[in-house]
Amino acid sequence: MAAGNVNPFNVSDSEEEAEQRQDGADTERSPSDEAQGHSLGPFSPPAYSDPAALLSSNRTSPSVDGIPASAAAVSGIGAETRVSLDAIAAQLLRDQYILTALELHTELLEAGRELPRLRDYFSNPGNFERQSGTPPACKEQGVGPGGPLTAQVQDVKRRKKDAHLRDRAGSISTLDSLDFARYSDDGNRESDERVAVLEFELRKAKETIQALRANLTQAAECEIASQERKNYKSSPETQEPIRPLEKRALNFLVNEYLLKNEYKLTSITFSDENDDQDFELWDDVGLNIPKPPDLLQLYRNCGNSQPLHRDNVDVAVSVDPSDLPGDYFTQEPVQQTDVIQQQQQQEVVQELEYQISLLNSEKQSLAEQIKKLQSDIQALQRNVSSEPTAGVKSTPSKENPKCDKPPLDNGQYLDIRGVTETDSSSDTTKTSTSTTIATDCTENSTTATQPHSKLKANGQQSKSSVQFDQPNRKLSPAFHQALLSFCRMSADSRLGSEVSRIADSEQSVMLMLGRCLPHIVPNVLLAKREELIPLILCTACLHPEPKERDQLLHILFNLIKRPDDEQRQMILTGCVAFAQHVGPTRVEAELLPQCWEQINHKYPERRLLVAEACGALAPYLPKEIRSSLVLSMLQQMLADDKADMVREAVVKSLGVIMGYIDDPDKYSQGFELMLLSLGDPSERVVSATHQVFIPAFAAWCTELGNLQSQLIPSLLTRIEKLLKGEYGLDEHKLHMYLSALQSLIPSLFAVLLQNAPFTSRVKLQGDVPPIEVTRFPRPASPLQDVATIVGSREQLAVLLHLYDHQLQHEGTTGWDSLLWVVNQFLPQIIDIVGRINVTSSTCVHEFSRFFWRLCRTFGKIFTNTKVKPQFQEILRLSEENVDATAGNGILTKATVPIYATGVLTCYNQEEDRKLLVGFLEDVMTTLSLSHAPLDSLKASFVELGANPAYHELLLTVLWYGVVHTSALVRCTAARMFELLVKGVNETLVAQRVVPALITLSSDPEISVRISTIPAFGTIMETVTQKELLERVKMQLASFLEDPQYQDQHSLHMEIIKTFGRVGPNAEPRFRDEFVLPHLHKLALCNNQQTVESKRIDIATQLFEAYSALSCCFISEELMVNHFLPGLRCLRTDMEQLSPEHEVILSSMIKECEIKVENKAIGEAQGSISIAASLVGEDAKTKFLSKMGQLTTSGAMLANVFQRKK
């Protein structure tokens, strides 16, 4: 029996013999007295008369080690007459003295003399689970007819003990190992009050159990023998790590010292840091741990080198003095440490010698038995050959002796109930050999080792098939029966009935397992229940009764309450093996109902198991069930389940179903499932759709022949409907459809290869060049790999070679699938591109990625000969192609950035880069000269600027604009620098960007110079190099202080707008020393402005700038010298031009003045936030409502306030 499954209520044979020897040798001392003597604790060695007795509890029972009872009896003659600690522990556990056994176990642990029986008992939570029926103690003690009164008295005592145990541990059945899954789905619910009481009781019991478990396992965590523990000195080199028990004890003493010496705050902090320990109760440190002296006493005694030696006297309760040894009260003092260690070593040697003697005696006994058995077998074989009818009936055929198959559960068992018992070794030998011969017909080689076994008769064997030697005695049968009742055999219970019958055929084993497994599973630890999966599956496969098979499969799916990934994989592996063994009919009839029952289980792990099982079992189901019931189950789970991981597994299983479905009518349902999966809010589900479902669905559509005729056109139609929507473009749905098209590109290319004219010429040749690593984009999953779709990488290499040759030399005549892509698919998708909003960076990015993947998959020849010409036909780079008045020319649409970023960047050779540079230069020139919007060019720069590999290329394009002869082109180049600065590293900014901007800032055209201001502001916002910032600061200062710009209204507007945008994010020094003083000057100058339109424009921009800067930290000096004066100047303008602005400004000024006057509050807060200070003010509500409507245009802002009037 394994250590983890030791039954403490069954005492081994060796233990019973030890008790018998003790009773025979010393009748004056009862076992209870001896038990009390041992329970005095491990610290009383005088209780033993022999040093070897100290280690008696560590002696392994011979029966546990596999030594027969007879050998143990022989070897035990002349042994020491005593009761071992192991026998005492067994007696305590048998009589249900659990707490006493627990105390004994704790004391033995502290002494380093752990008993395996107690360790296994207290480490197995199954021993504390409440059992129904007969108690274990009652099961093993048979009550004979001669002692009914004694049995009644024992029963009354036992019930009292059980009741007392229940009072002390009312919630003993609520251990963590208890299987709550058995009760989780029951419909019977108690009242709310009863549930609340039980929940409280359960919580308290769990807390108590957790504390007890932590204390009980501390010895196992750091188990060190006592002699080893003494070897550690106080030096750090040899000191062992602190153990949990030591830590808790030291924490208690430290806290006690702090409280006694009035360090109360420190004690409170120390208690908070150790919130898992109760410092008011020493018992919280550990069970049966004596409290040591306080820290002061320990410190005073730590310098004493010689420990105090005291005489130890053992005290026993209710023990007669005559029973004690003669020298009990005259014990010698405790010897020195080295003497004790030497004595312990001698004890270890004696113990090992004792073990050797046991093994030698066992060896001799077994050798004698083997010789006897061999001689008896030879004699019996001679007798059988001469008399075939003697003893056991022979089979009709001697050459091939086999039995006919017995009927199911026909009583073919080795019955051990109600038989006589013999003790002689010769009888044992005869019984063993007879049993072996009788069971040869079942092809079993097991030899019965029990001296009382017989084989029940069947149709071909008589009842006397196994014969035993009967003693020549004249006892009555009633006396025989009464005598045998003291053998402690119990066959009245369910378990006793199973044990008493030994199966002798495969069917009998299956029947026995079917009956026993439902009782075994609930008592196995949850963490180890997957070990039962092979047993359950084999029984379910081979069991003849459908009802029992259904019960076993139900146990399989409910085996673990919340199975993790590994446990689910084990269950699924077993389900697949079951399906392979039993066939599709039984899978449909037995496994699928289990999945259907758990489809709405409350635990997501169980629903996840169902979803994964549907996919794993798909190959083994009937095709009608596969495309109807299973598909409907998964569709329901996809629509209704709330757990992301369940829906993800559903989508993967749906992909597997699509790989096996062959009903063309299910295409529409599959298409709807694809759209439903793509629209799922979880990213995990959408990713699984692209990785598994769409490739599998596309493969099925390819076989149906409707990939190009139905699936792709349906998605394109839905995209066109989105673009025609009345309520604007739904970008989420556009992304959903476009990503589906992108996942279909590998399948579309595989269709082209498989339907090409050269398919018939495909031959696997050795001279075909291998496929380049970068030939195809990295697939999202193996199912999107073109090589996987085609069949192999070698096959794909041959097809690609012929594909490129066909496109380059032979043309596309008769290639219908390719002509569909060129003549229908590409024109339609390019037309859709021209209708999307160019300012939507998401749409531009999605279509750019789509064309990039399309061109990389179809190859460079296809891109150059089929894709680029269609774009170039539309994008005719001329001023006539741009409608400057309407702004709807093709160069202003999203076609420009998508062609530049999706088609021209898919290959990165020198000619490709030159083509991209030339295209961007032409677009910039054309748009600038035609005064068209620059949105398409900006979108191209934003998309390309996200990749650092294209920064040099974009700077080359902008330098072309910087040196262009037209001022319009130079203005465009200056504005494009603003977009590029944020993504370019500071080295390129210093070497390429700033020189170009300084060149433009000295341009003869004032408009070009003004166009550089936003780019300079962005540099101030993003760059950290001081030299670079100083150059930019000097350039901006020249714009503000140079007299030639004094009346440049557009320049002042651009500077104020830039200050408001970059001020909150710029370096504080730049904001304090440059931005705020110049805003003050501009506000002051605006008071003298005579032109009202210019004045309102400047005032509006100043208002937006001051509103943005009010959220920044501003020192008191700057607040007084620049911020408040600037606000007052701005308020002067707003009093005349916009009274509503004046109300907000007055509130801002008032709050700033309060902050300045209240220095202490200002210093404590550490910042000044004008926006936060307006909380609760009516002015703030008006301000925010107006600011929500503000735009960057000053005129628009003025109109907003005028409409309010």
Side-chain angles (χ1 to χ4, degrees), residues 64-109:
V64 176
D65 290 340
I67 303 174
S70 61
V74 172
S75 63
I77 296 174
E80 184 182 2
T81 58
R82 52 183 171 70
V83 176
S84 64
L85 286 177
D86 192 66
I88 294 174
Q91 183 68 27
L92 291 175
L93 294 176
R94 182 191 303 112
D95 293 339
Q96 292 291 294
Y97 293 124
I98 305 299
L99 296 180
T100 307
L102 178 61
E103 292 182 4
L104 176 61
H105 179 51
T106 304
E107 292 182 354
L108 292 176
L109 276 177

Side-chain angles (χ1 to χ4, degrees), residues 195-311:
V195 170
V197 172
L198 290 177
E199 288 179 350
F200 174 77
E201 186 182 30
L202 174 64
R203 185 169 61 254
K204 297 299 291 182
K206 282 186 175 180
E207 293 174 357
T208 304
I209 291 166
Q210 191 65 26
L212 288 174
R213 182 174 296 164
N215 291 328
L216 285 175
T217 55
Q218 56 88 15
E221 293 175 356
C222 301
E223 184 174 338
I224 299 176
S226 57
Q227 60 270 23
E228 295 177 358
R229 204 173 290 143
K230 294 174 183 177
N231 293 334
Y232 289 108
K233 306 298 180 181
S234 59
S235 60
E237 293 80 2
T238 61
Q239 186 174 2
E240 61 174 315
I242 188 170
R243 293 177 292 158
L245 179 64
E246 295 173 342
K247 180 180 179 182
R248 295 172 69 86
L250 290 176
N251 287 347
F252 187 91
L253 294 177
V254 170
N255 185 74
E256 184 183 43
Y257 167 77
L258 293 175
L259 289 176
K260 284 183 179 180
N261 293 275
E262 300 298 328
Y263 297 111
K264 295 183 179 180
L265 293 179
T266 308
S267 174
I268 293 173
T269 306
F270 186 73
S271 300
D272 292 339
E273 292 177 346
N274 298 275
D275 54 355
D276 59 339
Q277 184 173 352
D278 184 5
F279 288 105
E280 297 181 0
L281 185 63
W282 168 256
D283 290 340
D284 183 68
V285 174
L287 295 178
N288 298 331
I289 304 299
K291 181 181 176 183
D294 57 15
L295 284 182
L296 180 60
Q297 191 67 25
L298 291 175
Y299 173 73
R300 290 173 177 173
N301 296 335
C302 67
N304 297 335
S305 59
Q306 296 294 334
L308 295 178
H309 299 295
R310 297 179 181 178
D311 294 342

Side-chain angles (χ1 to χ4, degrees), residues 920-1063:
L920 292 176
E921 291 175 351
D922 293 342
V923 169
M924 182 173 62
T925 303
T926 306
L927 292 178
S928 301
L929 296 179
S930 59
H931 299 277
L934 303 176
D935 293 334
S936 60
L937 186 63
K938 290 181 179 179
S940 303
F941 270 74
V942 170
E943 187 69 21
L944 291 172
N947 188 353
Y950 294 105
H951 288 171
E952 287 281 358
L953 185 145
L954 294 176
L955 288 173
T956 303
V957 174
L958 290 181
W959 185 254
Y960 167 81
V962 169
V963 298
H964 200 275
T965 57
S966 172
L968 297 174
V969 178
R970 296 198 298 274
C971 284
T972 300
R975 296 204 174 272
M976 290 299 106
F977 274 113
E978 179 187 359
L979 300 175
L980 196 59
V981 165
K982 291 185 178 181
V984 177
N985 60 63
E986 294 188 4
T987 303
L988 281 178
V989 172
Q991 296 177 356
R992 303 285 299 277
V993 177
V994 172
L997 287 175
I998 291 177
T999 300
L1000 292 174
S1001 65
S1002 59
D1003 195 269
E1005 293 291 333
I1006 187 64
S1007 59
V1008 176
R1009 284 177 267 175
I1010 294 174
S1011 299
T1012 62
I1013 294 175
F1016 281 125
T1018 304
I1019 293 175
M1020 296 298 298
E1021 186 180 12
T1022 57
V1023 175
T1024 58
Q1025 292 184 13
K1026 293 185 178 180
E1027 299 79 4
L1028 205 57
L1029 291 175
E1030 288 298 327
R1031 293 177 63 185
V1032 174
K1033 183 179 177 181
M1034 291 175 57
Q1035 187 59 46
L1036 290 175
S1038 66
F1039 286 144
L1040 289 169
E1041 298 171 1
D1042 197 329
Q1044 62 176 329
Y1045 303 119
Q1046 186 175 0
D1047 297 330
Q1048 292 295 330
H1049 177 72
S1050 299
L1051 184 141
H1052 292 159
M1053 287 281 292
E1054 196 67 47
I1055 286 181
I1056 297 173
K1057 185 178 179 180
T1058 302
F1059 282 173
R1061 176 173 59 86
V1062 306

Side-chain angles (χ1 to χ4, degrees), residues 1079-1186:
L1079 283 178
H1080 179 201
K1081 292 180 182 179
L1082 291 171
L1084 189 61
C1085 294
N1086 197 48
N1087 291 146
Q1088 285 84 36
Q1089 179 62 253
T1090 57
V1091 181
E1092 186 173 349
S1093 61
K1094 293 183 179 181
R1095 188 178 181 186
I1096 187 62
D1097 290 343
I1098 296 293
T1100 303
Q1101 292 296 332
L1102 284 173
F1103 179 78
E1104 292 182 358
Y1106 273 111
S1107 298
L1109 292 170
S1110 65
C1111 299
C1112 304
F1113 170 76
I1114 302 174
S1115 64
E1116 181 186 353
E1117 181 181 359
L1118 286 172
M1119 182 72 72
V1120 173
N1121 295 334
H1122 297 292
F1123 195 80
L1124 275 175
L1127 284 177
R1128 294 190 181 101
C1129 294
L1130 181 59
R1131 183 176 61 178
T1132 303
D1133 293 333
M1134 291 301 180
E1135 286 177 352
Q1136 304 175 8
L1137 303 174
S1138 179
E1140 292 190 1
H1141 282 74
E1142 189 270 334
V1143 174
I1144 300 174
L1145 287 170
S1146 299
S1147 178
M1148 293 171 65
I1149 292 171
K1150 183 178 180 181
E1151 293 296 331
C1152 290
E1153 291 174 347
I1154 292 174
K1155 295 291 182 183
V1156 172
E1157 294 174 359
N1158 230 337
K1159 277 187 182 181
I1161 299 177
E1163 291 176 359
Q1165 292 178 348
S1167 63
I1168 297 178
S1169 178
I1170 302 302
S1173 65
L1174 299 178
V1175 176
E1177 297 288 340
D1178 294 339
K1180 181 188 177 182
T1181 304
K1182 297 179 182 179
F1183 171 71
L1184 292 177
S1185 63
K1186 293 298 180 183

Side-chain angles (χ1 to χ4, degrees), residues 582-593 620-622 624-625 629:
V582 302
T585 304
R586 282 185 58 182
V587 174
E588 175 189 353
E590 298 176 9
L591 271 184
L592 275 187
Y620 312 102
L621 289 168
E624 299 82 6
I625 297 298
L629 177 60

